[in-house]
Short mmCIF file of all heavy atoms in Angstrom, two decimals:
data_model
loop_
_atom_site.label_atom_id
_atom_site.label_comp_id
_atom_site.label_asym_id
_atom_site.label_seq_id
_atom_site.Cartn_x
_atom_site.Cartn_y
_atom_site.Cartn_z
N GLY M 461 -117.05 -29.29 66.80
CA GLY M 461 -116.39 -30.09 65.54
C GLY M 461 -115.24 -31.02 65.91
O GLY M 461 -114.63 -31.60 65.01
N LEU M 462 -114.77 -31.10 67.12
CA LEU M 462 -113.78 -32.07 67.46
C LEU M 462 -114.39 -33.51 67.57
O LEU M 462 -115.60 -33.77 67.83
CB LEU M 462 -113.22 -31.89 68.87
CG LEU M 462 -112.49 -30.53 69.11
CD1 LEU M 462 -111.86 -30.43 70.41
CD2 LEU M 462 -111.33 -30.43 67.99
N ARG M 463 -113.64 -34.41 67.13
CA ARG M 463 -114.00 -35.94 67.11
C ARG M 463 -113.29 -36.46 68.24
O ARG M 463 -112.10 -36.63 68.14
CB ARG M 463 -113.72 -36.48 65.76
CG ARG M 463 -114.49 -35.98 64.66
CD ARG M 463 -114.09 -36.47 63.26
NE ARG M 463 -112.80 -35.90 62.91
CZ ARG M 463 -112.45 -34.83 62.48
NH1 ARG M 463 -113.48 -33.88 62.43
NH2 ARG M 463 -111.22 -34.40 62.02
N VAL M 464 -114.05 -36.82 69.35
CA VAL M 464 -113.46 -37.50 70.44
C VAL M 464 -113.25 -39.02 70.19
O VAL M 464 -114.29 -39.65 69.98
CB VAL M 464 -114.20 -37.26 71.73
CG1 VAL M 464 -113.66 -38.10 72.89
CG2 VAL M 464 -114.25 -35.80 72.10
N VAL M 465 -112.10 -39.42 69.97
CA VAL M 465 -111.88 -40.78 69.57
C VAL M 465 -111.86 -41.77 70.89
O VAL M 465 -112.36 -42.99 70.68
CB VAL M 465 -110.43 -40.87 68.86
CG1 VAL M 465 -110.21 -42.31 68.49
CG2 VAL M 465 -110.45 -40.00 67.69
N ARG M 466 -111.16 -41.27 71.81
CA ARG M 466 -111.22 -42.10 73.10
C ARG M 466 -111.10 -41.25 74.35
O ARG M 466 -110.45 -40.17 74.29
CB ARG M 466 -110.03 -42.96 73.05
CG ARG M 466 -109.87 -44.08 73.98
CD ARG M 466 -109.50 -45.45 73.47
NE ARG M 466 -109.54 -46.41 74.40
CZ ARG M 466 -108.66 -47.27 74.80
NH1 ARG M 466 -107.57 -47.34 74.21
NH2 ARG M 466 -108.96 -48.10 75.75
N ALA M 467 -111.74 -41.74 75.47
CA ALA M 467 -111.53 -41.03 76.71
C ALA M 467 -111.05 -41.86 77.74
O ALA M 467 -111.61 -43.09 77.96
CB ALA M 467 -112.83 -40.31 77.20
N SER M 468 -110.26 -41.43 78.67
CA SER M 468 -109.82 -42.21 79.78
C SER M 468 -110.94 -42.23 80.83
O SER M 468 -111.88 -41.53 80.73
CB SER M 468 -108.56 -41.58 80.40
OG SER M 468 -108.76 -40.41 81.08
N ARG M 469 -110.76 -43.07 81.85
CA ARG M 469 -111.65 -43.00 82.95
C ARG M 469 -111.26 -41.69 83.74
O ARG M 469 -110.30 -41.09 83.47
CB ARG M 469 -111.28 -44.19 83.99
CG ARG M 469 -111.74 -45.52 83.42
CD ARG M 469 -111.42 -46.47 84.41
NE ARG M 469 -109.91 -46.73 84.38
CZ ARG M 469 -109.24 -47.66 85.31
NH1 ARG M 469 -109.94 -48.36 86.19
NH2 ARG M 469 -108.01 -47.76 85.15
N LEU M 470 -112.14 -41.41 84.69
CA LEU M 470 -111.83 -40.32 85.53
C LEU M 470 -110.85 -40.69 86.66
O LEU M 470 -110.87 -41.76 87.15
CB LEU M 470 -113.12 -39.69 86.18
CG LEU M 470 -114.07 -39.04 85.36
CD1 LEU M 470 -115.38 -38.89 86.08
CD2 LEU M 470 -113.60 -37.89 84.59
N TRP M 471 -109.89 -39.82 86.95
CA TRP M 471 -108.88 -39.92 87.91
C TRP M 471 -109.00 -39.00 89.00
O TRP M 471 -109.61 -37.84 88.77
CB TRP M 471 -107.49 -39.91 87.36
CG TRP M 471 -107.05 -41.02 86.46
CD1 TRP M 471 -107.84 -41.61 85.42
CD2 TRP M 471 -105.98 -41.90 86.53
NE1 TRP M 471 -107.20 -42.69 84.91
CE2 TRP M 471 -105.95 -42.80 85.50
CE3 TRP M 471 -104.83 -41.87 87.34
CZ2 TRP M 471 -105.08 -43.79 85.31
CZ3 TRP M 471 -103.86 -42.82 87.18
CH2 TRP M 471 -103.93 -43.77 86.21
N ARG M 472 -108.47 -39.21 90.15
CA ARG M 472 -108.55 -38.18 91.22
C ARG M 472 -107.18 -38.01 91.91
O ARG M 472 -106.36 -39.00 92.02
CB ARG M 472 -109.52 -38.74 92.33
CG ARG M 472 -109.77 -37.84 93.56
CD ARG M 472 -110.66 -38.43 94.51
NE ARG M 472 -110.63 -37.80 95.80
CZ ARG M 472 -111.64 -37.12 96.35
NH1 ARG M 472 -112.80 -37.05 95.62
NH2 ARG M 472 -111.56 -36.54 97.45
N SER M 473 -106.75 -36.68 92.34
CA SER M 473 -105.57 -36.57 92.97
C SER M 473 -105.74 -35.37 93.82
O SER M 473 -106.68 -34.52 93.63
CB SER M 473 -104.51 -36.31 91.77
OG SER M 473 -104.79 -35.21 91.09
#
Side-chain angles (χ1 to χ4, degrees):
L462 293 185
R463 292 170 296 286
V464 177
V465 176
R466 190 139 190 230
S468 73
R469 291 180 288 176
L470 294 175
W471 287 54
R472 181 183 168 115
S473 63

